[in-house]
Amino acid sequence: MEKSFISLAELQAEIQLLKVKNFQQEEVIKERINSPSAIFHTITSLFRNGSSNNQSFTKTLLNQDLFTNLARVGIPLVMNGFLFKKSGFVAKMLITFLSQKAAKQVTSNTVTGLVDKFQGILKKFIPTTKKKAAPRDYGIPPDSESY
């Protein structure tokens, strides 16, 4: 949808109009970014889950898998306690937040899938030899039944 211009004046007028529209749009975007309500909305949108806006925190916590709940506690403890022991408060807070988001992806299905893959890899490298069970001796001689 290109406009055809007959004269140079029309082209310059269109350029000026586009510059004014661009300036207006920049001002609207700057206003949205600099307003406190926009910043608050951005921060609160990070904590909301898109599919469970209507559910309360306790309902979502109870509906999660056991591995998910353990990961929500264990991952931040391991990360902050061992890997980032000497980091500051802000870094630990960010690590906790990101690990909480990552822990939502851990379910019993993913854990069992990883365990099965690991067992498959181990079976390739470690040969398993089956031993035959030794015959049980009950202390009865075999010839005692014939008398």
Side-chain angles (χ1 to χ4, degrees):
M1 185 170 157
E2 295 180 12
K3 291 185 178 181
S4 60
F5 301 105
I6 298 173
S7 67
L8 183 61
E10 288 180 6
L11 178 63
Q12 289 175 343
E14 184 69 24
I15 290 172
Q16 292 301 322
L17 179 67
L18 291 175
K19 284 182 180 180
V20 169
K21 285 183 180 180
N22 186 20
F23 179 74
Q24 289 173 346
Q25 290 173 352
E26 285 178 358
E27 291 299 318
V28 169
I29 291 172
K30 285 179 184 177
E31 182 179 311
R32 286 184 185 173
I33 291 175
N34 291 332
S35 70
S37 63
I39 294 171
F40 180 73
H41 176 70
T42 304
I43 291 171
T44 56
S45 68
L46 291 174
F47 293 103
R48 274 190 239 136
N49 192 358
S51 63
S52 65
N53 284 336
N54 297 333
Q55 293 183 346
S56 68
F57 176 73
T58 56
K59 286 184 180 178
T60 56
L61 190 64
L62 293 176
N63 289 338
Q64 291 176 349
D65 198 6
L66 175 67
F67 286 107
T68 305
N69 289 333
L70 290 175
R72 288 178 66 120
V73 173
I75 293 174
L77 283 175
V78 169
M79 297 283 282
N80 288 329
F82 298 111
L83 299 177
F84 298 100
K85 188 181 283 188
K86 295 183 180 181
S87 62
F89 172 74
V90 175
K92 287 188 177 188
M93 183 179 65
L94 286 173
I95 290 166
T96 303
F97 175 72
L98 293 175
S99 62
Q100 291 283 327
K101 290 288 188 179
K104 290 180 182 178
Q105 305 299 323
V106 177
T107 61
S108 62
N109 293 335
T110 56
V111 171
T112 55
L114 288 173
V115 169
D116 290 341
K117 285 182 183 179
F118 187 69
Q119 284 179 348
I121 292 171
L122 285 180
K123 285 182 182 178
K124 289 180 184 177
F125 293 113
I126 300 173
T128 56
T129 57
K130 294 183 180 180
K131 295 181 180 179
K132 291 185 179 180
R136 293 184 181 173
D137 185 20
Y138 294 107
I140 302 172
D143 295 335
S144 65
E145 294 178 6
S146 62
Y147 293 107

